[in-house]
Each structure stands twice: as structure tokens, then as C-alpha cells.
Amino acid sequence: MTPDPALVQQPGPWTHRMVAANGGRFHVAQAGADDGRAPLVVLLHAFPQLWWAWRSQIPALAEAGYRVAAMDLRGYGGSDKPPSRHDTPSMVADVRGVIGSLGASSAVVIGHGLGGQVAWSMPALAPDVTRAVGVLAAPHPVPLHTPMARVAPASTLKSLAKFQVPWFPERSFTHADGVARLLRAWGAPGWEPDGVDLYTQAMRLPFVAHSAMEQLRWSLRSTPRMDGQRYRSAVNTSIDVPVLSLSGTADPVFSESSFRRDGDYVRGAYSRVSVTGAGHWLPEEAPEQVGELLIEWLHRLK
């Protein structure tokens, strides 16, 4: 049985809407004052999740005085699932379009994992709408997309290599417990993820698993190709806006050394915080601490 697409519109202290941008339609969960005065904060989720990963931070940021929009990236949840253009620059164009469609001239873009790669890319590819950047569990894309840079541990590279195989990775998410296994494997030891059923059902929506896999495949396969080289060249520039980087000390995907070069790409204010005991899923493993760190940083931007 195909899951009901409405499952992505979970109730809570937010509203759901579809936003037209970059030739597609994107699902956004938003909260906070929509009066044109509150600064806009756009939240981007990680693979294999959706906007729901930010459920603890959405009301916290709204109560702190921000207008919050947590969007489903292309291919995920309630957003459009195009058959092509699974590259990071296309996702940057999506975010740029969503910001404009929400009536804002600029936004603070905060991304986790895959969404963090999009956030890192915003100052170079969409500088006109990027006020500041927050990244969680996401090293800068230049060393990450540089052959032999060894930013990721061998275990992470092994997982990414498995995802390059056609068909089988998708089936592990749609017909087996691949989502649950991945959440547990990438979390801190002993952490039990919440929302596994929702993430699993969302991954079983038509075309979601394929879109998610194609995005991961692009990140690896594009490295030696011209499109990957153009992307790496574009983001290999100094970032003038403020940047906050959060990572977990127990993240099995990226060790603390994976972030050692990030500050070299930031000419603006750069803040780096390690969250003790947290794994890869920072918004869910340390929800209150992440919310407090984001609010403290956002207040400094005013």
C-alpha cells in the first residue's frame, strides 16, 4: 500500500503550505510572525529525513522572535520529485526561490547533513538572499568533494559506496528497515531514534527513495566530472556572512577532524561548537541544546 502523502503534514505549532519556487512546488512547515518584520530562518533537513527533524527547534525559534520555514528538499516529503537535477546547485536554486516566494529579501539558512551542504553553498551560489549560514554535521563541501581529501572516515565512505549501486539501496528503504538501521547506525551509541515510522513511510512515498539516492550519488560521482568541478570551483571562495558550525562528538559519520579546514573558507564571523555526546542527528539527539545554540547565535546577528 502506498503511504498517504498527507502523512508529511504532521500537526503541531506550525502551519503547512506549498510554495512555488524554481519551477517546482515545495512543502514548508512555518511558524512565527508573518508580518514582514521578523527575520526569516530557513531550515533544511538531512538524508533520509524531512522537515519533521526540526520539530523541536521550529517552535523554539518562533518563540524567540523569528519567522521559521522548515522545507522538504526536492525529492522529499511533500515537495516535488523531479526525475532529474538531483545536484546541490539545483537545491540551492530551490531555497533561493522559496525565500523569495515567502516574501523575504534574505534569510538565515540552517542546514543539517545534506541540507548543510546546501547551506554551505548558499553564500557562493545565492549570495543576494543569504544573510548567514548555520551548518550541523556538515563539513565544508570543498574538502568533502576533493578526491583523496579523506574528510570522512572509512566507514562513511563505505556506506556511500554501497549507495552507488543501482536499485538495491532504494529497495532497502522502501521494502525493508533501511531507514531505521541507518538512523541507529549514525546516531550516538545507545540512542534510540524517534519518528522512525514517519521517516520510513515518507521514504516509501513514490520517487522519494530514488531522489534521495540520486542526490547522494551525485555528491560522489560528480567529483571528477565537469559539473562537480564547476561546483567545487564556485564554492571555493571566501564566505563573507556569519557561519555557525555544530557537530556531535559521537558522530560516526564525520569525526571532529572532518571540520578542521572549515574556518579557512569563512571571512565573516565563524563560530564552531561541538555538542558533547551527540551523534549525527543533532536536532533530534540534542534538541534543547541545539535550539539554545541556534537562538544565541541568531540573536548575535541582530
Side-chain angles (χ1 to χ4, degrees), residues 21-100:
N22 194 30
R25 297 173 73 245
F26 297 88
H27 169 248
V28 172
Q30 61 179 32
D34 190 4
D35 55 9
R37 294 195 298 269
L40 176 63
V41 178
V42 176
L43 303 176
L44 310 176
H45 62 84
F47 161 84
Q49 300 178 306
L50 64 158
W51 72 271
W52 177 248
W54 297 102
R55 60 192 177 277
S56 295
Q57 291 77 36
I58 295 172
L61 294 178
E63 290 172 8
Y66 298 94
R67 181 186 178 198
V68 188
M71 63 179 283
D72 288 337
L73 295 170
R74 65 165 52 207
Y76 287 86
S79 293
D80 279 356
K81 302 158 185 67
S84 60
R85 297 176 63 201
H86 299 291
D87 53 282
T88 301
S90 293
M91 289 189 279
V92 169
D94 296 340
V95 177
R96 180 210 289 265
V98 166
I99 292 171

Side-chain angles (χ1 to χ4, degrees), residues 53 117 158 176 216 263 296:
Q117 293 301 304
K158 185 177 180 180
L216 293 182
E296 179 185 354

Side-chain angles (χ1 to χ4, degrees), residues 238-243 263 265-271:
S238 295
I239 298 174
D240 294 325
V241 299
V243 174
Y265 299 95
V266 184
R267 189 161 53 189
Y270 177 63
S271 303

Side-chain angles (χ1 to χ4, degrees), residues 220-241:
L220 190 63
R221 294 177 184 178
S222 68
T223 298
R225 298 191 319 234
M226 287 301 299
D227 58 333
Q229 293 177 30
R230 285 194 299 269
Y231 166 69
R232 190 166 66 247
S233 176
V235 297
N236 189 14
T237 184
S238 295
I239 298 174
D240 294 325
V241 299

Side-chain angles (χ1 to χ4, degrees), residues 152-178:
S155 58
T156 302
L157 296 176
K158 185 177 180 180
S159 296
L160 291 175
K162 289 181 179 179
F163 292 153
Q164 306 307 305
V165 179
W167 188 74
F168 286 101
E170 284 91 335
R171 188 169 181 83
S172 73
F173 289 117
T174 58
H175 290 74
D177 62 344

